[in-house]
Each structure stands twice: as C-alpha cells, then as structure tokens.
Amino acid sequence: MNLLVLLKMVPDIVEELEVAPDGKSLDTSFLRTIINERDDHALEQALLLKERHGGTVTVLALDAPDIDDTLFAALAKGADRAVKITDAPEGMTTQTAARLCSQVIAGLPPADLILTGVQALDDLDGLSAAVIAQQLGFPYIGVVTAVTVNGSTATVLKEFAGGVRGEFAVTLPAVLGVQAAEKPPRYVPVAKVRAAMKSSKIETVPAPAEVAAAQIEVRQLAKPVVSSHAEMLEGSPEEIADKLVQLLAQRGLL
Amino acid sequence: MTSPLWILAETWRGQITETTLELLALGREVADQLRVPLEAVLFADKSLATSLGVADHVLCAAGVEPTPEAVAAALAQLVKERQPQAVLVPWTNLSMDAGALAAAKLNAPFVNGSKDLKADAGRLVAQCLVYGGKLEAAVAATVTPVLFGVLPGTRSADAGRSEKTPAITEVAVAVPETKVKFQRFLEPETGDVDITQQDVLVAVGRGIQQQDNLELAEGLAKLLGGAVCGSRPVIDQGWLPLSRQVGKSGMSVKPKLYLMLGVSGAPEHIEGMKNAQLIVAINTDAAAPIFNVAHYGINADLFEVVPVLTEKLQAAKGG
C-alpha cells in the first residue's frame, strides 16, 4: 500500500518564544524549530503499517528552516521518498497551506492512506487533515491512535474523553489525523541520518502559483495575560522542600 | 448584521455534554453583545433540546451518524441554508474534527482553540491559545460565516442551564452515505488504579525525561498515599498506561493535592486537572503556562528537589 505522510516544522516550545515587533507574529530570529510531535507519530504509524503490509512511505513537507534534516531523518527511519514543496508564500494559515498541499498531493502517485498529525502547535485556522480530505474527496477522521488495514478498509481507533476509544471502519483511500502512533516514534541515530543524506535525495516540487487567500487575521500575539500566578516557593532545594512539607502539613495532607 | 449566532450542541452517549452548556453560556453573552438570536444545532433526539433553554431556538435533526463525516455534512448543509454569522463548536475530541471538516466543506475559516470570544465593532474576535498555551492570539475572521473551536471551561456549565424551554424546529438534513462507519466503543482498561478516586496525585510530564525516573514520582506518591498519573507525552512514550492519563483525552481529576513534576501545562492537560484543590508545580521553565494555573510553583530542577523532598517527607511521616 502507498502511504503518504505530511510533516511540518513548529517552534520548539521548550524554548522561550518571543513576539515580533509587529505584535502579531512570532520573532523567528532565534527560533528553534522541530518536527510537529503529532506528525512524528503519523510517520511512525505509517512505518508500522509498511512493516505489516509492505508498500511505500512518502513524506511530504513545505520548505522551512531545518526541514531537510527532518526529511532525511524520515528516510533514515524507513520512508522511501521525500518530497519538499518549494517557493510557497510565507505565513500561510493552516487551511491555506493544506489546500496548497492538496494540489501537490493530486500530482503524486495515488496514496491509499494519507496521515498527518491531528493538529500542530501553531495551527490557528482549522485542521490540515480535514481540509486535505475535503479537497481530495476522501473520508477523514481525526484523533486517531491505532490503524489496522484489511483490504480496502482501515479500522481505526479514535480517542474520546475519559480513556474511551471508538472503533471506526474507514473505506480507503482516506486521510487520518493522528494523535498518537501505536508505539512511541522510533529513534534514529545521527549516523543513519548522515548515511541517508549521502545515499538519498529530497525531491522538490514548486508550489502551485495560485494560493487561496487567508480567511483569518491575527490582530495580536502576546504572552497570556494572567489573572493569577502561582505563589512561588524559592530557595535552595532544602529550603523549598521544607516549605512544601510545611504547606502539606498545614493542609492536612501528610 | 442580524444573522444568528449558532452553537453546535454535543451529545455523548445520549446526554448533552457539559462543554455544550459552557458554549451556551458563552454564546448567550456574545449573542447579546451582537443583539442577534442564539441558536443551537442538535443532531440527536429532540427530547434533549429541552436542556438547551439558554438558546432562543434549537434546530434539531435526528438520524445523523456520530461520525465527523456525517456531522460535518449535516452542519455544512444547515449553515448554507440558514446563514448564521458564526458557529461555536466544542474544541473537544468529540467535535473538533467534525467542526474543522464542516469549515473545509464550506470554505469557511475555523478558528482553533478559542478560550474567549467577544464582539468588537460588530466583529467577533477570539482569544486563542497557541504554542501549547505559551502565547495567545487575538483572531478575527475576514469572511462570514466563521466557525470557532471553543475550548472547554470558557464559562461555567451552570450558566448554560435554564428552566426555559427553547423554541424547537425539526429540520431535515440529507446526509450522503459516508465512508466512515462507527463500530463500537472500547472502554478504558480496568484493574489499574482509578486516578479519579485518589486524594493525592503525583503527575509527571515530559520533564521526567526517562522511564526510570518515574521511580521518583512513585516514591512520592507512596509517601503521600496517592498514585502517579501523567500528561500526554508520558503516555505516548508508553511509560504509563492510558488509564493514568489526565487531560482532554484522559481523565478529569479533582484530588486534594495535585503535585506536578515537569508538566508544562498544555491546555489539553489543564482541562483535566484545573479543579484540583491544591496544585503544586515543579518546572525548570519559569515561563511554563502551568505556573498560571498552579497555586504554588517551584521553578527548579525536579531532580534536585524531589530527592530532598522525599527525605523530608519520610522524616515528617516518621516523626
């Protein structure tokens, strides 16, 4: 089966995020980006399916800083083909970018299953997988945590609240928004990524000339204005531990 | 513009959800600001419409399968026919994909993760959590209609309850044969600790770094007479079972003490623990959103604090 996985770079939120002087966008001057965690799970799920059923995994991404590293890492993990969309306008909304990706996908060999993260940290306008499904006329389901394929049907698990999951039968080809793969994303040693850089190539496809207009405007981006903040316990680890033990004793929690 | 404001009512196993009531309360405020009617769309039996009395009007259609495909098709059809200016959709696992798909079908914007919404010069502006809650964006749509994905907890569910009975209109929707079929529910595994019943929970997040370090949390939980739970990344890594997950996809908990080790406080996690009686968070990132939710914060390395804390708790319990 042919599997297609969309990958996206997002800011690493372990780092401090700064707002640009325009007050509406992220300051990218010192921004460290990483693969969107849910996309990493989508890739893992695709690799698991390939191991079970055979076939190929193609990874597709919009050009972005450090995207080559991410694509080579995907090849090192077992993807067969990496495609990068170049010359797309910057600052596209999620829906605009997804529409653009759909046009590119339509020009690639047909996929039985398209997987991507159910959402990305920087999504403000919709969910990519839903838009791609709509554009291609494929069925869609999101918040997926397991996929089994049997002929032309995929059985997927979708997470609800309270630990309850729902089982759905989905007719292929389909688009899935992945919450988590069945296993944690595999680790790939740097040496293998370097080997992939030598042995394989990233293909490039130019972005379609026509791009849909954004339908949202960001009026302001800012750190949350908080109505409350934790009372901070400070000092050496010793002092902090003393304060905390005292607090728990006062509250009758010991 | 006098076109109505809509909310998509959500049902879970035959009941209207709390989030729906919260959306009704928020929707009522916003509709009053805009001076337009508030209407609820309900894809379920009309007997449930009576609990949506905060709305002026309920549009009800039964027989829509509970799949994103079917709900999105039905919602998109009604939006096209009746032209509301905006639809508030629960930003929950249950409804987010139906909402996003409906927006895609309508070629309409879908504003994700709205934690508040207000009218500004006749236009709706949402306050949205982005980057795992580290930043907030004020977002407006440039076209109508617009769909807003509204986070749980924006208003109290009680403010969404009313004795009034709304006007109910049964509407017909033609949902085409969909290619996603619901099969069955899988219940959470039982036999493990029920974290919703614990007085004390020690929660671990990404900051715990590796599975072996969970011992630290286990030790604390044992001393405090509680159990260990985790945020999404810890569950995804397989370090704790699904039954221990707190948050949007996991459990909602209200322990007497929620002690957090290396949990940054993504909105999805906060949803499940914000009602804990005492929240104490240890995190190395001074800007971690959890410090806006916790009652007490410790901006330090958990690997330095927890061993000392464990010793002192042992001493306090023994003494």
Side-chain angles (χ1 to χ4, degrees):
Chain A
M1 68 189 303
N2 288 329
L3 299 139
L4 178 71
V5 183
L6 275 91
L7 304 177
K8 177 180 178 181
M9 302 299 283
V10 294
D12 184 354
I13 56 163
V14 170
E15 310 278 322
E16 188 75 359
L17 299 182
E18 296 294 340
V19 176
D22 71 357
K24 295 176 182 180
S25 59
L26 210 55
D27 183 347
T28 53
S29 31
F30 298 101
L31 194 64
R32 206 167 83 97
T33 58
I34 54 171
I35 184 173
N36 178 45
E37 195 177 3
R38 301 294 137 220
D39 297 351
D40 204 15
H41 280 269
L43 173 60
E44 181 60 34
Q45 188 61 55
L47 295 170
L48 292 172
L49 288 170
K50 178 186 161 182
E51 285 165 7
R52 265 184 243 151
H53 303 286
T56 60
V57 173
T58 300
V59 287
L60 176 69
L62 282 162
D63 200 1
D66 299 328
I67 189 66
D68 288 7
D69 293 350
T70 294
L71 292 173
F72 280 122
L75 290 167
K77 284 179 174 185
D80 303 276
R81 192 177 167 199
V83 181
K84 179 168 77 171
I85 305 169
T86 56
D87 305 313
E90 280 185 23
M92 285 186 292
T93 69
T94 303
Q95 292 212 54
T96 309
R99 282 169 202 276
L100 184 151
C101 288
S102 306
Q103 282 181 267
V104 174
I105 293 168
L108 296 174
D112 301 297
L113 207 48
I114 300 173
L115 303 100
T116 192
V118 62
Q119 69 181 108
L121 281 176
D122 58 351
D123 282 339
L124 270 177
D125 178 21
L127 303 175
S128 303
V131 177
I132 290 165
Q134 171 61 21
Q135 291 290 302
L136 299 175
F138 292 175
Y140 157 74
I141 187 164
V143 209
V144 167
T145 57
V147 185
T148 315
V149 174
N150 194 347
S152 60
T153 308
T155 303
V156 308
L157 294 185
K158 171 187 167 74
E159 268 188 3
F160 293 102
V164 178
R165 289 166 298 163
E167 189 181 281
F168 292 82
V170 183
T171 306
L172 302 183
V175 185
L176 304 180
V178 175
Q179 173 72 47
E182 288 153 36
K183 289 181 183 173
R186 63 196 66 191
Y187 170 77
V188 60
V190 178
K192 266 187 105 175
V193 180
R194 290 219 183 93
M197 285 175 175
K198 280 184 191 146
S199 64
S200 41
K201 268 209 162 90
I202 295 171
E203 298 164 49
T204 57
V205 178
E210 295 267 320
V211 176
Q215 296 180 316
I216 59 163
E217 56 170 9
V218 176
R219 293 186 171 185
Q220 191 190 35
L221 186 68
K223 299 205 169 158
V225 180
V226 293
S227 50
S228 65
H229 193 273
E231 182 178 332
M232 301 305 283
L233 305 180
E234 286 162 351
S236 67
E238 286 273 324
E239 289 162 346
I240 290 170
D242 279 333
K243 288 177 189 172
L244 194 47
V245 171
Q246 202 186 357
L247 174 71
L248 298 182
Q250 277 168 5
R251 300 288 183 109
L253 290 163
L254 293 186
Chain B
M1 191 166 17
T2 55
S3 46
L5 180 72
W6 281 13
I7 73 142
L8 175 65
E10 192 184 62
T11 61
W12 174 244
R13 298 182 157 184
Q15 301 281 326
I16 298 287
T17 65
E18 292 273 300
T19 309
T20 301
L21 300 175
E22 295 164 9
L23 258 67
L24 277 173
L26 173 68
R28 185 75 266 168
E29 273 180 35
V30 176
D32 290 348
Q33 285 170 20
L34 292 167
R35 299 177 191 210
V36 299
L38 177 66
E39 301 183 347
V41 178
L42 175 67
F43 296 124
D45 190 83
K46 72 171 181 182
S47 62
L48 291 174
T50 48
S51 40
L52 305 174
V54 167
D56 300 305
H57 190 186
V58 178
L59 302 170
C60 184
V64 177
E65 250 201 291
T67 65
E69 296 272 300
V71 173
L75 181 61
Q77 183 196 325
L78 290 180
V79 169
K80 266 188 207 154
E81 285 169 7
R82 292 169 176 262
Q83 302 285 324
Q85 57 178 294
V87 187
L88 314 190
V89 177
W91 185 247
T92 57
N93 286 0
L94 191 55
S95 299
M96 63 196 283
D97 46 5
L101 189 57
K105 285 178 189 293
L106 291 161
N107 189 22
F110 188 90
V111 180
N112 299 348
S114 310
K115 62 165 246 190
D116 207 356
L117 194 63
K118 61 171 191 275
D120 176 33
R123 271 176 80 193
L124 291 171
V125 182
Q127 204 63 29
C128 305
L129 292 178
V130 269
Y131 306 116
K134 277 208 149 180
L135 294 176
E136 270 182 37
V139 180
T142 54
V143 295
T144 55
V146 48
L147 289 81
F148 291 95
V150 178
L151 288 164
T154 51
R155 294 294 182 275
S156 87
D158 284 341
R161 293 182 221 273
S162 166
E163 298 292 309
K164 275 194 333 194
T165 303
I168 301 168
T169 305
E170 287 181 78
V171 291
V173 288
V175 179
E177 186 70 10
T178 62
K179 291 179 175 171
V180 177
K181 299 276 179 217
F182 173 73
Q183 308 284 71
R184 60 182 176 135
F185 285 119
L186 303 178
E187 301 302 324
E189 314 98 82
T190 49
D192 189 34
V193 177
D194 181 356
I195 57 171
T196 64
Q197 299 301 316
Q198 298 288 318
D199 282 342
V200 174
L201 287 172
V202 178
V204 293
R206 202 186 299 273
I208 199 77
Q209 293 178 5
Q210 48 186 344
Q211 187 165 18
D212 291 349
N213 295 335
L214 278 167
E215 279 177 14
L216 285 171
E218 296 284 358
L220 269 184
K222 206 172 164 200
L223 274 171
L224 293 164
V228 175
C229 61
S231 64
R232 177 101 235 175
V234 175
I235 310 297
D236 283 351
Q237 286 298 325
W239 297 345
L240 282 173
L242 201 55
S243 55
R244 302 286 187 110
Q245 185 181 347
V246 170
K248 186 175 187 158
S249 307
M251 305 295 173
S252 285
V253 297
K254 290 182 192 171
K256 290 181 180 160
L257 171 64
Y258 196 72
L259 176 57
M260 309 175 75
L261 311 179
V263 183
S264 66
E268 294 81 7
H269 186 74
I270 290 172
E271 216 177 292
M273 48 61 69
K274 59 178 188 286
N275 295 320
Q277 288 175 29
L278 178 65
I279 303 168
V280 181
I282 306 180
N283 204 297
T284 47
D285 178 5
I290 196 58
F291 290 132
N292 303 328
V293 177
H295 303 105
Y296 291 90
I298 295 163
N299 179 210
D301 184 345
L302 75 94
F303 299 107
E304 287 178 11
V305 175
V306 172
V308 186
L309 178 62
T310 306
E311 269 174 40
K312 292 199 185 273
L313 281 173
Q314 268 162 349
K317 303 274 282 190

